[in-house]
Amino acid sequence: MAKILVIDDDPQLLRMTELALERRGGYEPILSADGAEALAKAREDPPDLAIVDVMMPGLTGYEVCRQLREQEETASIPIIILTARGQAVDRQAALEAGADEHVAKPIAMSELIERIDDVLKDRSTTPSPSRIITFLSLRGGVGVTTLAVSLAATLAREERGRTCLVDLCASSGHGALQLGLRPEPNWSDLADGAELDDEAIANTLLEHESGLHLLASPVLPLIQREISGSMATDLLDALSREFEFLIVDTPSTLSEATMSAIGAATGTCLVVAGDPASVQSALGTIRALGERGRELSIIVNQTARAGQASSESIERVIGRSAMEVIPFDPGQARAMVKGKPLPLSRPDSPLAKAVNGLAEKLA
Ligand SMILES: Nc1ncnc2c1ncn2[C@@H]1O[C@H](COP(=O)(O)OP(=O)(O)OP(=O)(O)O)[C@@H](O)[C@H]1O
Ligand SMILES: [Mg+2]
């Protein structure tokens, strides 16, 4: 039940509002006739919304607003200022004090309830949940990193939302390589005893000129050490609070980190190229993952110029349609050498266009 804190020195208004909230149902009224007392109540048990009168003995409603905004635990509570002062300047003063809405008295209770409903509805729809898209192949070299980098770069270019590429490969730094960045710092700095808190993770991210962020992997192979499943889960959990899109490049094994990335993902793309070993690995992966294997999206990537099976025959053998077919793009080799992903350097190239189609489907 949403808790509504009503602060007004007029006992009659408090009583009417209480009755109206109870009649509406789903709201629990908490009443206070005094600003200081209301602030203490709000701090102790933050309400879901506060309705604040302006003219009160002791603290004014504006002061109550400001103090609610200053305290961490009450800073994000939606506030409706309810006041007999209905001029434009009063509205301005209310918004400057930190209120979300300014409502002039007198007001019919039914209308006040509507405003409360609207404010709470807006709040509940504001933060969009992150999409986590994991790229995977147990056959190395089929373009997992290329597609993860290209999709992340496309999302950044199209300004779809804050995007972070997460390179969970044990030792490669290939994500950074494709973006022309030096992979320092990288997640091995976090594993090296640094505490895994939000600030430490944020300090480990690299930022590309496109606005894309990257959690890089180390270039030098770490001997007998890879990212653990719980660390991968914690990283993705922390990053999903900061970013709308996480694009995850995974090692070519069903390691703990890979399994965590599949578990956290809203969608997993299994990359398949046209050589028999890749097709066999894809079939094996689908089977090994059981229920989750059936939910994988198949992405056919034509990494070689010639001698590869067609996408149709790959789809036939796997028994599934591809979500997207990425053509062989001769420009990719140069893009890699220059550290400039095709979606950013040549958005009209065949690879960039196909990845744009993938972004439309996934985002
Ligand atoms: N659609 C494509 N067209 C042309 N070249 C491609 C395409 N996709 C990938 N490549 C090239 O194929 C090579 C392997 O790609 P990439 O490194 O992305 O594969 P990977 O699956 O991440 O490999 P690894 O197993 O080493 O992590 C790279 O040289 C890349 O530029
Ligand atoms: Mg790779």
Side-chain angles (χ1 to χ4, degrees), residues 136-150 167 169 172 174 177-178 249-252 271 300-305 326-337 342 350-351 355:
L136 167 72
S137 161
L138 300 198
R139 166 71 162 161
V142 297
V144 171
T145 303
T146 302
L147 297 187
V149 168
S150 300
D167 185 349
C169 300
S172 74
H174 289 173
L177 179 77
Q178 293 215 15
D249 182 1
T250 60
S252 49
V271 183
V300 172
N301 188 24
Q302 310 282 14
T303 32
R305 212 182 288 260
I326 315 289
F328 173 82
D329 191 329
Q332 169 57 23
R334 191 166 159 70
M336 189 141 163
V337 172
L342 285 173
L351 184 143
V355 172

Side-chain angles (χ1 to χ4, degrees), residues 7-346:
I7 313 167
D8 203 306
D9 62 327
D10 175 356
Q12 213 182 336
L13 188 127
L14 282 183
R15 180 78 192 122
M16 273 165 58
T17 316
E18 181 184 33
L19 282 175
L21 288 168
E22 282 171 350
R23 214 171 298 134
R24 153 73 170 72
Y27 291 147
E28 180 192 338
I30 299 160
L31 310 179
S32 177
D34 174 81
E37 185 218 27
L39 283 170
K41 277 188 179 172
R43 250 169 248 149
E44 203 181 290
D45 184 13
D48 297 283
L49 182 142
I51 299 172
V52 187
D53 180 26
V54 173
M55 299 291 284
M56 293 186 287
L59 291 182
T60 68
Y62 298 145
E63 195 49 41
V64 171
C65 268
R66 272 190 282 275
Q67 291 200 30
L68 283 172
R69 290 289 176 248
E70 267 163 30
Q71 298 281 324
E72 203 191 325
E73 39 315 4
T74 56
S76 58
I77 295 171
I79 303 172
I80 297 178
I81 283 261
L82 180 61
T83 171
R85 299 168 152 209
Q87 306 293 315
V89 288
D90 301 312
R91 182 182 165 72
Q92 187 60 30
L95 298 181
E96 275 168 15
D100 298 81
E101 284 270 344
H102 170 270
V103 174
K105 286 182 194 171
I107 182 171
M109 278 299 143
S110 57
E111 202 183 314
L112 179 61
I113 296 287
E114 260 178 49
R115 301 291 281 266
I116 295 170
D117 290 348
D118 287 346
V119 171
L120 286 175
K121 199 162 86 209
D122 284 348
R123 276 297 165 117
S124 64
T125 52
T126 312
S128 57
S130 318
R131 291 195 60 76
I132 304 179
I133 297 158
T134 292
F135 281 83
L136 167 72
S137 161
L138 300 198
R139 166 71 162 161
V142 297
V144 171
T145 303
T146 302
L147 297 187
V149 168
S150 300
L151 175 67
T154 302
L155 294 170
R157 185 195 70 204
E158 299 293 311
E159 296 183 355
R160 293 276 192 152
R162 276 169 60 77
T163 303
C164 185
L165 176 66
V166 184
D167 185 349
L168 294 184
C169 300
S171 51
S172 74
H174 289 173
L177 179 77
Q178 293 215 15
L179 288 164
L181 297 171
R182 224 167 90 94
E184 277 172 23
N186 56 65
W187 57 251
S188 76
D189 297 303
L190 286 168
D192 272 346
E195 231 181 90
L196 199 56
D197 59 25
D198 289 0
E199 199 185 330
I201 296 170
N203 290 336
T204 311
L205 298 181
L206 305 175
E207 189 173 354
H208 187 257
E209 59 188 16
S210 62
L212 172 65
H213 284 74
L214 168 68
L215 179 63
S217 66
V219 178
L220 280 185
L222 299 175
I223 298 168
Q224 293 195 330
R225 216 188 84 206
E226 53 179 51
I227 204 159
S228 72
S230 60
M231 183 172 171
T233 302
D234 290 350
L235 282 172
L236 294 174
D237 185 48
L239 290 170
S240 66
R241 289 194 290 271
E242 287 299 315
F243 292 92
E244 276 147 296
F245 294 102
L246 300 183
I247 310 301
V248 191
D249 182 1
T250 60
S252 49
T253 56
L254 292 179
S255 64
E256 281 190 20
T258 305
M259 293 309 292
S260 294
I262 296 171
T266 42
T268 297
C269 295
L270 180 64
V271 183
V272 193
D275 72 301
S278 175
V279 177
Q280 178 175 311
S281 287
L283 274 170
T285 308
I286 293 169
R287 214 161 290 164
L289 290 177
E291 184 79 26
R292 271 173 296 182
R294 285 189 283 281
E295 290 166 6
L296 299 173
S297 303
I298 310 294
I299 313 296
V300 172
N301 188 24
Q302 310 282 14
T303 32
R305 212 182 288 260
Q308 291 215 76
S310 67
S311 57
E312 291 79 14
S313 55
I314 296 171
E315 289 173 293
R316 202 170 331 109
V317 175
I318 294 182
R320 301 263 300 273
S321 320
M323 179 187 245
E324 196 67 61
V325 177
I326 315 289
F328 173 82
D329 191 329
Q332 169 57 23
R334 191 166 159 70
M336 189 141 163
V337 172
K338 290 178 74 181
K340 292 192 188 306
L342 285 173
L344 299 175
S345 57
R346 289 180 39 217

